[in-house]
Every structure is written in C-alpha cells, then in structure tokens.
Amino acid sequence: MLSRIALRSARAYAAQGRLVSRSTVLSRAAHNAAKPPARDAFAPLDTFARRHLGSEPKEVGAMLKQVGVKNMDEMVGKTIPPSIRSPKNLALDHGFPERALLDRLKSIGTKNKVFRSYIGMGYTDTVVPNVILRNVLENPAWYTQYTPYQPEISQGRLESLVNFQTMVTDLTGLPIANASLLDEGTAAAEAMIMCWQSTRKGRNTFVVDENCHPQTIACVQMRAESFNINVVVGKVDEAMLQKHGKDITGVLLQYPDTRGNVADYEQLTKAVHTAGGQVVVATDLLSLTLLKAPGEFGADIALGNSQRFGVPLGYGGPHAAFFACKDEHKRRIPGRIVGVSKDAHGKPAYRLALQTREQHIRREKATSNICTAQALLANMAAMYAVYHGPDGLKAIAQRIHNLTAVLAEGIKQAGHSIENSVYFDTLSVKVDDASTILNKAVGLGINLRKLDSKTVALTLDETVSKNDINDLLSVFAKDGAFDADKIAQSISLESTPASFPSNLQRQSKFLQHPIFNTHHSETELLRYIHYLQSKDLSLVHSMIPLGSCTMKLNATTEMIPITWPEFANIHPFAPVDQAEGYSIMLKELEHDIAEITGFDAVSLQPNSGAQGEYAGLRAIRAFHHANGDLQRNVCLIPISAHGTNPASAAMAGMDVVIIKCDNKGNLDMEDLKAKAEKHKDRLAAIMITYPSTFGVFESGVAEACQVVHQHGGQVYMDGANLNAQIGLTKPGEIGADVCHLNLHKTFCIPHGGGGPGMGPIACKSHLGPHLPGHPVIKVGGEQAIGPISAAPYGSAAILPISWAYIKMMGGDGLRQSTELALLNANYMASRLAPHYEILYTNENGMCAHEFIVDVRPFGQLAGVEAIDIAKRLQDYGFHSPTMSWPVANTLMIEPTESESKAELDRFCDAMISIRKEIQEVIDEKQPRGDNVLTNSPHPLSQLINDKWEKPYSREVAAYPMAYLKEKKFWPSVGRVDDAYGDRNLMCTCPSPEEYINDN
C-alpha cells in the first residue's frame, strides 16, 4: 500500500502540474491492502515515502501480528491516549517525487543571487577542496555517524577531532581546545560565563570592545541578561579599566577587529590581569599563521569561527567555532573535548574526556547547556589544515594579505583614505558617500559592508583573483582605470607581512606534527580520509538504535542541495533581496512546522536542541516581563528530564523545582499540583518531554498543562521525541505554549558524528512577539529577545534537508512514518520481552517510539553491566542503544521508521544471543569478570595475537552469529580506559613517535 500512496501522490502531481494544498484522506488499511490500483501511465515512479520507510506491507503485517493487534489503527489506539489525538489530517502538500522535488528546489535556488561577498564580519568565501567536499561533507559514512560516545567504533572521527584541537591550540598558542562549538557569537558568550565563574567573587562586569563583530556583541549581551552580568561595550583602554577595574571579570577583544585593524594587545592584557580580570580574544585562525598568537601575548581564552578553513558560507552555517584556553580552565571549558587514553591492551586510543563538566551531569548547576558541537564541520576544517599543512596555510594567508595591500594602495591612489594602517585582510575605507560605493559594487555583483554614511569595509578571501581586485578598484575609482598588475609592481610584496610591525609578526612554528606534513597530495588525503572512515560505525553499516536520538535515514535527495552554490555560497549578511530563494524556502518550512506542531509562529534560528530550549524559555521569560510579572522565575522540571532541560532553565535565569515521577515513569500529578500551588505567584513554566523520556505517552499530559496554566505558568514541550507525534497528535493541541524541534532527529538532518543540528522553536501567538531577533538582519518578533545564534537563521544551509523531507513525505507519508516508528518499537519490545524486562509501558502494555530494557539484575547475577552489553554489541556489528539514561544501568532502544524488519530482527537476535551469553555466566559456564562480555569488544589486532588465554574461543569472540563471517564491522581498539584518560589528559595529537608506531 505504500506504493499506492506514492502513486496517488505522484498522480496528483502529474495531473495538476503543482502540489495541492491538502492531502487526500488515506485509508487506514494502508498496510493491509491486497490489490493495487490501476496504474497511471504518466505517474512518476521515483516517489519517496516508500523509500524512506523501511518495511514492506507484508513485513508490517507480520509485525502487527507479533505485537498482538489487527491493524495500524488498533496499534495507534492502544499507544496514544484518545484524548490527545488530532481530529484532522495534516494540511500539507502531497509528497513530491524525488526528481520533481529537486527541480522545485533548483527553481527556488535560482532566486538567490550569488554575489562576490566581501562583507567579512567573521564569514568569508573559501575554496572547499573537492577531495574534502566529496569524501567528507557529501559522504554518508561521515555524516551519518553519531556522537562518539562509543570510542571503540569511533576512532576515525575522534582522531580527526584531535587534529582539529591540535590545529586550534597551535594557532592560538593556548594549551587546550575543545572539539568545536556552535558559532563564534555563542562561543564568546560561553567565554564570558567562564570568566564570570572563575572571578565571580564580587566581580560582575564583562567589558566588550566596541570593535568586536556586532552579532558577537549581541550574543554576549543576550546571555548576560539571565545571569545579571553587567556588559559594558566601548573602547577598551586604560580609562575603561580604571573605571571598572575592581568589578571586571573579563574583557573581550577582536583580533583583527571588525573594522580590520590589528592592534597590539600585550600591554592591555597585562593591565587586565593586574586588575584581576581575564582576557578573551575573538580571532581568525588564518590570520594567526602570520600574526602573533593570542596565547603568546597572554590571552586566557581564544575563540572564533573556523569557517574559512574550507567550509562553505551557507548563509550563516553550519560552521565549527573553535575555543581554546589556558590549562587552568580545562574543567570549565564548554562542549566536548577529545583526549588520548589507552585501551584494555595498552594501545593508544581516543575518547571524549572530562565528561563530568557536561550538562547531563551538572544539570541545573550547569552554566552551559551545550549538548552538541559541529563535528562534521570541524572535521572538514581539520582536513583542510591537514591538506594544506603549515606552509600551505601560510601561503594562503600571505596571498590574501598581499592582495589586500594591492587593493589598499589602489584605493589610496583613487583618492580615498584607509582607516586602518595595520591590517590582515580587511580595510575600512573613508569615502564621500558609502551608499554610492555600495550601489556601484552591487552593479558589479559585489557586496561590501557599510560602516557609516562615509565608511565602507571589505574583507578579502582566498577566492579573490586579479580580476576581482580590478573590479574592486573600479568601484572606488573616481575617474580613470586602475590596473592591479601595475599597483602590485609599484609596492613591495615580500614574504613577511608588510603592514605588520615586527612585534605583531608570528615567529613561532605551528602544525609541526607529521599529520599536517604528510597528506598534501589528493591521493594521500583521500586515503587518509578513508582510513579514518573505516574505523567508524555509521548508518552505512547498520542501524544505530539510540533512544531519544532518532537515527533515521538521511536521504541522498535531501542532502544533494546543501552543496549547490545557490545555497552554499551566500553570505549570512548579504542584502535580503539576494536571498529571495532562501526566503521562499524558509517561509514554507516555517509554515509546515507550524502545521505539524499546531502552533502559530516559528523561529529557525536556534542551532541545536539545547539552544531551542533556551530560546523558548527566554521567550517565556520575556512574555512574563512584558506583562509585568518579573517575579515569575520558577521552572518545574520532571526528575526524568534530559540534562539540558534544567541547564537551559538555569541559563534562562529560572529557579528549577523538580517534579517527581511515579513508579511507572509518569509525572506524579499530586506532586505537580502541590508544587504549582506552592509556587503559583512565581511559576514561569514547566518543561515536559512528550512522549516521556521513559518512552510512554502519558495519559495525564493535557491535565498537567492545565494545572500549570491555571497557576499562571507556560508550558514548554521538549521536542526530542516529536518523531512519535507527527500526524497523530500536536504539541499545540495538547496544551503546550512553545516547543523546540530537533531537525537532526525528526526531520532528517544528519548527526554528523556530533553535529550539526538544528533546534527551531514553534509557539503560540502570544509568545510570537518574543521570538529571537538579530542585530544585522531583521528577524523575530516585534518585541524580540536577543539573538540565540550568530547568524539570523542559524545553520541555514542544512534547512533544505528538512524542507525536502517534509515536501517529499507529504502529510500522509509523515503520519505513516510516525505509525511505523511506533510499530517498530513495539515489535522489538515484544520480541525482547521474553528475554529482558521491558520497563515503562502504558496501561495497554505499549511503548511509544522507544523503550527501555532493564539489565540491572545481571549486575548481581553475573557481574554484567549495561556497559558490557553495549561493548559486546560492537562485536555483533551494532552501535549500543542509549546507555544508563534515563535510568541507570539500562538500555534505551529507538529503531525509527527507516529500518527494515530484517534489520530489527538482526538486532533483536543479537540481543537474544547476548542474553544467552549472560546466562552462561549465571550458570557458571563462563567466569565472572573474565568472559566474552566483560572483555568486549574484541578488535582484530587482539584476535590475531599468538597469545590467547581467554576462557572462550576466538570464534566466539569474533563471530557470535553466522552472518558476521560474511559481513563484519571490526572495532579498531579494545575497551577504552576512561579513567586513565581523565587522569592523564592529553587533547592534542600524540607525539610523532607514538603516531608513527600506531600508523
């Protein structure tokens, strides 16, 4: 019947020549129909829903039988409370066939104008090496990986992220860096909080230099509000320090600054330290190949955007921000850090380090809610550095600087003055009329930046050619023509930067590790990329059944447009009339999200689910303040909530009050009512995940919303589990006021090995005026809160993925997707129930789209913990389910709708086989603590070792099931020692000797 759905959609498309506004009501017998309809000879065959959904109708029928229901209607009726079922079908388009979808998006894309943008402000065009474009960004073996929490099957991307960290520490001159943040603006906000934490004894002022990028300043101000930090923006000099010195917690400087000037900050840094503050430097990695490193003049923290290291502009993202700091801050640094440890056999191995810093541990005590990074883009930037090496990077930087010098000379010869005599790639030019210059540039397909009525700025990049320089010179020429060749010959262009005084020129070496000095041919880099790729398990190998993560298909048709120039090569601050195509696509996506969720307004700005939480709570806070209810600052959060929930509430300036759950995992309604009443005068919000984090549709959710509303609060729904709702129920109809959506879960943006992600929010009309704004491009509501992200639409370049998914599935396909996700979970739970206890089902014995397997009894019976089962699954070729969350020592499984019954069975068979292995330990056929589970995983290097003294055979270790002899993914290391890695923290590339021995 899935093919019938697709044909019906295709027939409607072919007959009408356009999409209709309302999907046809589809028979609920969709999965049980027998006789196909007569075919339309003109109907396209490349329909999508049948490709996205993993199981055929016959398989669906078998799963329904296993679950004990007659049809999908009965299954849904037993799973979702009738009181919250949506009365109407989704009012969305029919599903586009794949080719038609690409044609439509290509047509929309032609409305974008790809100008040469020299706007700068932390974003420049770049030459993306094709070997990286094709083999990383466009490669599902890289973009379908999950966050590397299971290091034994993640060594490839972990090594690449260590390369990224090494690149950042070398260039910034600071000893420790993380594995990327979301963007430069929010990285600066994180730095401010770090400074405030480390010097908060009576200090509450953070000074921001007026020549930082405006979006960075706005992000810092936005974050400071909830912590009551006093942000002072102005010229940072001796007078400023004297005025605020005793209260200064930190100072933010831009190097080079937003107007292009390169200042010597060494004495200022000493003065800030003398005053007891920290120095944060927002910088440009490429400039640091020529300029003295921030760490060398005493900076405590350095941060910025690595986008110009081979990552497309993408109308603002996704890009990987970098963040480095002094060693004393290593336990405060936000985000993920990759460290070097060792495995059970003493072999060097990478893993995520110091995880006790993260929000899932600290919860409401956290000052950062960071839950993801930009791993895919960090890996691209790292590969760019590996490909070019230190000499290549310096040559690129020198060429850009030389061209800037040629342009500066030509502009001066044209009768204009350059505001900044010391520059890297950016010039601020005094002109008679800035608007005239900008309009002249636009006529040549060029974007410049207007600083004021008589000043324009421009930033050059590695794509600039001689013709580009001549065009820029013609923009500034008052009369006559200028020739770049002649100007270049008239000035001295040497290997050292002509405009830098000697005390600002970099003397120290960087990127001396062999990894940055080996892979400079395309052949070598291609092989290195594939060598790392071969170490990592991704969706190209097997299902990744992580609960609350929704690792579904990232379809190729959805992914293709993200590298089209008309979407990839637009500057985020380009004039809006040059991004008309983006505007059309984004408005359609906002409309569809509003329809899917039952809300009235949408913001696409948040760059992650955690950012969406923060944005939603800040909108609630602004709503209360606009109504004069400044005292409303209590946020109720269930004890089962994801760690980002309390962390986001704390960041939004709210006091967290925990709500109990009953022994079935449901909200304790009596506790909720009591605490809502207790805090009724201060109640701001409740945060609810639905279905619950325990994987159940709670019947009391609507009542919970009513209780909170009756006591003056707003309802925030965490959309992490929205994949179980679409087409069947809506957050807005249930009673929520605002909800975030994880586009990297429900709407098919790939996880990228730890980012990118997107977390837009949808809300009711009364919160719409408070949606996030932006200081450069107008977005948001009439009473907008400050920006959540550095770019107005967050990671706009990946939004076509979600747009395409919705358009190709259509309303009917989306509903079927939800139904199949629910069925797959209940089918797996039914198969595993005879072997493991399934925690938390509803009164009908049904779970939602995920379920929890209880393995706690095996600890006492066999000395086997959840981690042992997780590692043993690697020997079977699977990534572990979510481990020890939301219940310690359990496994939470989410299959999604994209996996076939055969794959579900393969995983269930592996889990059943592992249960038999556990029983052998219980029956004392295998020893406790030295068995196939506690010694897992088993890398090939261990199995071919001459010495084998295990109480089980090599074959049992390597091939516990017959299919593995034909198709086997091997862990590349044994079990990684987490404690050793934290005790002996090393977050840069291992020594050359270790590197050579290991490779």
Side-chain angles (χ1 to χ4, degrees):
M1 188 57 194
L2 295 182
S3 60
R4 184 190 301 176
I5 299 164
L7 287 169
R8 187 179 300 172
S9 297
R11 189 180 303 119
Y13 181 87
Q16 299 180 23
R18 59 181 175 82
L19 294 185
V20 295
S21 61
R22 177 88 175 162
S23 57
T24 306
V25 177
L26 203 62
S27 166
R28 286 298 196 165
H31 292 286
N32 303 311
K35 188 175 180 180
R39 287 188 176 274
D40 182 341
F42 298 100
L45 298 178
D46 60 332
T47 51
F48 180 70
R50 64 196 176 98
R51 303 298 190 187
H52 177 79
L53 303 177
S55 291
E56 298 289 338
K58 183 177 180 180
E59 297 168 330
V60 169
M63 289 193 288
L64 290 168
K65 185 176 180 180
Q66 171 72 31
V67 171
V69 294
K70 296 177 181 178
N71 53 43
M72 198 69 82
D73 260 348
E74 184 183 354
M75 190 276 300
V76 172
K78 293 179 70 174
T79 303
I80 302 178
S83 61
I84 64 166
R85 288 287 299 278
S86 293
K88 299 178 181 178
N89 292 322
L90 290 173
L92 296 175
D93 298 319
H94 276 296
F96 266 95
E98 295 187 50
R99 286 178 298 164
L101 182 285
L102 291 175
D103 288 344
R104 169 91 199 286
L105 192 54
K106 180 65 76 170
S107 176
I108 290 173
T110 61
K111 299 181 184 299
N112 290 329
K113 301 173 184 176
V114 183
F115 279 28
R116 291 169 287 177
S117 284
Y118 305 125
I119 298 169
M121 300 171 69
Y123 304 93
T124 66
D125 204 355
T126 181
V127 177
V128 184
N130 287 324
V131 64
I132 299 173
L133 180 75
R134 173 61 60 88
N135 295 289
V136 178
L137 182 57
E138 296 178 341
N139 184 351
W142 281 86
Y143 66 68
T144 68
Q145 302 165 354
Y146 187 64
T147 304
Y149 288 125
Q150 297 292 328
E152 298 84 3
I153 51 175
S154 309
Q155 288 297 294
R157 64 186 177 281
L158 286 169
E159 178 174 325
S160 185
L161 291 172
V162 166
N163 294 344
F164 177 83
Q165 293 175 180
T166 302
M167 173 188 81
V168 171
T169 57
D170 275 16
L171 289 171
T172 61
L174 288 162
I176 189 167
N178 67 15
S180 78
L181 292 176
L182 298 175
D183 56 45
E184 182 172 335
T186 54
E190 297 286 348
M192 172 189 66
I193 299 300
M194 273 181 62
C195 293
W196 181 68
Q197 279 185 309
S198 62
T199 60
R200 61 191 295 183
K201 295 179 181 178
R203 291 175 177 266
N204 209 50
T205 295
F206 189 74
V207 177
V208 179
D209 189 79
E210 61 190 1
N211 286 321
C212 291
H213 296 317
Q215 72 274 16
T216 301
I217 295 173
C219 285
V220 168
Q221 291 171 324
M222 171 67 171
R223 184 72 62 86
E225 289 175 6
S226 301
F227 293 95
N228 294 315
I229 298 172
N230 177 36
V231 175
V232 176
V233 180
K235 182 179 180 181
V236 180
D237 54 17
E238 188 65 31
M240 175 74 82
L241 295 182
Q242 288 181 357
K243 181 177 180 181
H244 299 284
K246 294 182 179 180
D247 196 46
I248 288 178
T249 184
V251 172
L252 175 63
L253 307 169
Q254 193 92 39
Y255 174 75
D257 71 26
T258 195
R259 303 174 78 98
N261 189 52
V262 181
D264 183 352
Y265 288 131
E266 188 160 357
Q267 294 305 313
L268 180 61
T269 298
K270 290 179 180 177
V272 174
H273 288 160
T274 299
Q278 308 273 316
V279 173
V280 181
V281 176
T283 188
D284 176 323
L285 286 178
L286 192 61
S287 74
L288 298 182
T289 65
L290 304 180
L291 287 170
K292 179 185 288 188
E296 293 175 355
F297 61 71
D300 300 278
I301 300 168
L303 56 90
N305 186 0
S306 67
Q307 175 265 320
R308 74 187 309 170
F309 274 38
V311 179
L313 283 163
Y315 204 39
H319 305 141
F322 61 89
F323 194 105
C325 63
K326 291 181 176 178
D327 187 71
E328 64 201 61
H329 293 305
K330 65 187 177 187
R331 295 191 181 274
R332 294 192 184 97
I333 189 170
R336 298 178 182 132
I337 302 173
V338 180
V340 183
S341 185
K342 64 179 182 179
D343 76 355
H345 316 292
K347 182 180 178 180
Y350 302 100
R351 34 81 72 179
L352 295 179
L354 300 180
Q355 291 193 60
T356 52
R357 303 167 298 107
E358 296 190 30
Q359 44 67 32
H360 64 271
I361 302 294
R362 294 181 57 80
R363 298 178 68 83
E364 66 269 19
K365 296 180 181 178
T367 50
S368 172
N369 68 347
I370 293 223
C371 188
T372 191
Q374 299 282 24
L376 184 65
L377 300 314
N379 284 328
M380 288 183 68
M383 289 298 180
Y384 181 92
V386 169
Y387 195 38
H388 289 294
D391 294 338
L393 291 177
K394 188 171 183 178
I396 293 169
Q398 187 68 59
R399 180 179 180 274
I400 292 171
H401 181 71
N402 288 346
L403 294 180
T404 309
V406 170
L407 184 60
E409 179 62 23
I411 288 173
K412 286 188 283 188
Q413 290 181 18
H416 305 288
S417 61
I418 306 296
E419 181 184 278
N420 53 314
S421 59
V422 183
Y423 51 79
F424 166 58
D425 61 357
T426 299
L427 303 174
S428 289
V429 184
K430 292 294 184 182
V431 296
D432 295 332
D433 181 71
S435 295
T436 299
I437 294 293
L438 262 62
N439 291 335
K440 193 175 178 182
V442 167
L444 292 173
I446 293 173
N447 289 322
L448 306 178
R449 178 186 175 195
K450 182 178 180 180
L451 293 175
D452 56 48
S453 63
K454 292 186 178 296
T455 313
V456 298
L458 58 121
T459 299
L460 300 189
D461 58 65
E462 66 171 316
T463 70
V464 172
S465 66
K466 180 170 66 176
N467 289 338
D468 295 325
I469 296 295
N470 281 326
D471 285 347
L472 285 166
L473 289 171
S474 72
V475 169
F476 289 96
K478 295 180 179 179
D479 51 60
F482 290 86
D483 184 83
D485 270 331
K486 292 181 180 179
I487 296 172
Q489 293 169 12
S490 71
I491 62 177
S492 174
L493 294 177
E494 300 177 359
S495 59
T496 55
S499 83
F500 298 171
S502 59
N503 63 315
L504 287 178
Q505 294 178 19
R506 181 162 195 143
Q507 304 298 325
S508 58
K509 294 181 178 182
F510 55 91
L511 303 185
Q512 296 301 293
H513 192 276
I515 199 69
F516 298 103
N517 295 277
T518 306
H519 308 293
H520 297 166
S521 74
E522 181 166 334
T523 300
E524 288 299 322
L525 187 67
L526 178 65
R527 289 172 181 164
Y528 181 59
I529 290 171
H530 279 261
Y531 164 69
L532 296 187
Q533 171 189 315
S534 70
K535 296 183 175 187
D536 288 13
L537 186 144
S538 67
L539 285 176
V540 306
H541 299 102
S542 58
M543 69 182 292
I544 300 179
L546 285 155
S548 194
C549 297
T550 316
M551 296 293 290
K552 62 165 67 175
L553 172 70
N554 312 120
T556 305
T557 296
E558 296 159 3
M559 296 298 297
I560 284 174
I562 69 169
T563 54
W564 287 351
E566 53 265 52
F567 289 105
N569 295 349
I570 304 240
H571 194 285
F573 305 141
V576 292
D577 63 355
Q578 295 175 21
E580 185 181 346
Y582 259 115
S583 178
I584 293 169
M585 186 268 294
L586 297 176
K587 285 178 181 177
E588 289 187 6
L589 181 58
E590 289 174 357
H591 169 272
D592 290 350
I593 287 174
E595 168 60 21
I596 287 167
T597 58
F599 288 118
D600 307 306
V602 174
S603 170
L604 297 171
Q605 191 178 119
N607 254 332
S608 71
Q611 276 202 338
E613 293 174 14
Y614 178 61
L617 292 172
R618 287 300 305 268
I620 288 173
R621 184 176 187 260
F623 168 76
H624 287 310
H625 284 203
N627 290 334
D629 293 329
L630 276 66
Q631 81 286 356
R632 290 197 175 274
N633 68 341
V634 167
C635 186
L636 307 177
I637 299 180
I639 194 169
S640 61
H642 192 280
T644 55
N645 285 185
S648 296
M651 281 177 54
M654 296 184 181
D655 294 338
V656 174
V657 174
I658 298 299
I659 303 299
K660 298 175 184 177
C661 292
D662 64 24
N663 58 9
K664 294 184 179 180
N666 298 314
L667 272 176
D668 185 326
M669 292 301 298
E670 294 306 313
D671 191 47
L672 171 62
K673 291 175 182 177
K675 287 174 179 173
E677 175 64 25
K678 178 180 179 180
H679 299 286
K680 62 183 179 182
D681 295 329
R682 295 178 54 214
L683 183 59
I686 187 172
M687 298 185 81
I688 298 175
T689 301
Y690 201 71
S692 74
T693 54
F694 293 121
V696 177
F697 282 97
E698 298 180 51
S699 58
V701 63
E703 182 186 1
C705 295
Q706 292 171 3
V707 168
V708 172
H709 286 149
Q710 289 166 1
H711 290 84
Q714 297 285 290
V715 176
Y716 180 96
M717 185 170 286
D718 186 318
N721 292 341
L722 194 68
N723 206 52
Q725 290 193 44
I726 298 178
L728 301 177
T729 185
K730 297 181 180 182
E733 293 175 354
I734 292 171
D737 298 286
V738 60
C739 173
H740 87 264
L741 295 78
N742 293 96
L743 298 189
H744 51 288
K745 297 181 181 181
T746 310
F747 296 96
C748 295
I749 288 175
H751 285 71
M758 285 290 284
I761 58 171
C763 65
K764 291 292 190 181
S765 58
H766 62 281
L767 295 179
H770 307 293
L771 290 177
H774 196 275
V776 182
I777 301 294
K778 180 172 173 51
V779 294
E782 297 175 359
Q783 299 172 275
I785 59 175
I788 299 298
S789 304
Y793 294 101
S795 296
I798 53 176
L799 290 175
I801 299 169
S802 299
W803 177 90
Y805 171 67
I806 294 170
K807 295 299 183 188
M808 288 194 292
M809 291 297 285
D812 296 328
L814 288 172
R815 191 203 68 246
Q816 285 190 330
S817 178
T818 305
E819 291 173 342
L820 195 53
L822 298 176
L823 176 60
N824 285 352
N826 280 283
Y827 170 73
M828 293 182 73
S830 177
R831 277 212 62 196
L832 294 177
H835 310 278
Y836 300 89
E837 182 181 354
I838 307 300
L839 292 180
Y840 307 120
T841 57
N842 68 10
E843 60 275 13
N844 298 315
M846 305 294 283
C847 64
H849 64 309
E850 60 191 4
F851 61 97
I852 299 173
V853 172
D854 190 2
V855 300
R856 291 173 294 183
F858 303 136
Q860 183 174 356
L861 292 172
V864 172
E865 308 291 338
I867 190 171
D868 300 312
I869 298 174
K871 302 306 181 185
R872 180 58 173 157
L873 276 167
Q874 296 177 15
D875 289 329
Y876 286 79
F878 285 108
H879 192 291
S880 163
T882 298
M883 188 173 62
S884 290
W885 188 84
V887 180
N889 212 14
T890 64
L891 298 170
M892 184 162 64
I893 299 170
E894 180 185 359
T896 84
E897 71 278 6
S898 298
E899 299 298 341
S900 67
K901 178 179 179 294
E903 184 71 353
L904 305 183
D905 283 334
R906 197 166 70 91
F907 181 83
C908 288
D909 290 343
M911 287 290 291
I912 293 167
S913 177
I914 288 173
R915 177 64 182 86
K916 293 176 182 177
E917 293 173 345
I918 296 171
Q919 191 63 41
E920 288 190 350
V921 181
I922 295 172
D923 295 340
E924 299 183 354
K925 295 178 181 178
Q926 286 289 318
R928 291 172 67 104
D930 184 22
N931 52 65
V932 75
L933 292 129
T934 55
N935 293 332
S936 61
H938 299 85
L940 184 60
S941 58
Q942 179 194 11
L943 291 165
I944 62 174
N945 196 312
D946 290 340
K947 189 176 182 181
W948 183 264
E949 297 178 345
K950 302 298 181 186
Y952 49 89
S953 69
R954 286 181 169 93
E955 184 168 0
V956 167
Y959 303 119
M961 303 195 78
Y963 71 83
L964 293 167
K965 293 182 179 180
E966 296 183 9
K967 184 182 178 182
K968 168 82 174 178
F969 178 86
W970 291 93
S972 57
V973 295
R975 192 175 302 196
V976 176
D977 188 334
D978 290 327
Y980 178 88
D982 281 352
R983 289 194 307 269
N984 303 274
L985 186 65
M986 184 171 71
C987 301
T988 55
C989 293
S991 69
E993 292 78 16
E994 290 177 287
Y995 174 81
I996 293 168
N997 290 336
D998 193 41
N999 287 273

